[in-house]
Amino acid sequence: MKTIDEMLSLKLLTPDQHADIGAWVAHARTPEAIMQMPAPLWRSLELASVLMDFDADLQQPPSFDHE
């Protein structure tokens, strides 16, 4: 939920989208159920993720620095 809260604070989601996504995730009991989110909400979440560059950390090679 922290991520969608950040998306809201960055104005990447509207308050209604935030509430609807939060309610869906809270109701869903499994990752599979979350994936059944209505398409308009899913698109909003995907777009906000891209705009946040959410996957950027996953695309970076691991750091082996021990500093």
Side-chain angles (χ1 to χ4, degrees):
M1 294 300 284
K2 180 180 176 185
T3 301
I4 66 167
D5 291 346
E6 187 175 353
M7 290 172 174
L8 177 64
S9 72
L10 293 170
K11 301 194 183 315
L12 301 175
L13 293 175
T14 67
D16 287 341
Q17 290 169 328
H18 177 268
D20 291 345
I21 292 167
W24 186 272
V25 170
H27 177 72
R29 300 277 185 225
T30 65
E32 292 79 18
I34 292 172
M35 297 294 289
Q36 298 303 314
M37 185 182 299
L41 287 181
W42 192 256
R43 282 191 298 272
S44 298
L45 187 58
E46 278 186 316
L47 178 58
S49 295
V50 168
L51 293 173
M52 275 183 71
D53 205 16
F54 183 76
D55 294 331
D57 290 338
L58 300 176
Q59 296 173 1
Q60 298 299 316
S63 173
F64 295 106
D65 295 339
H66 295 287
E67 297 177 36

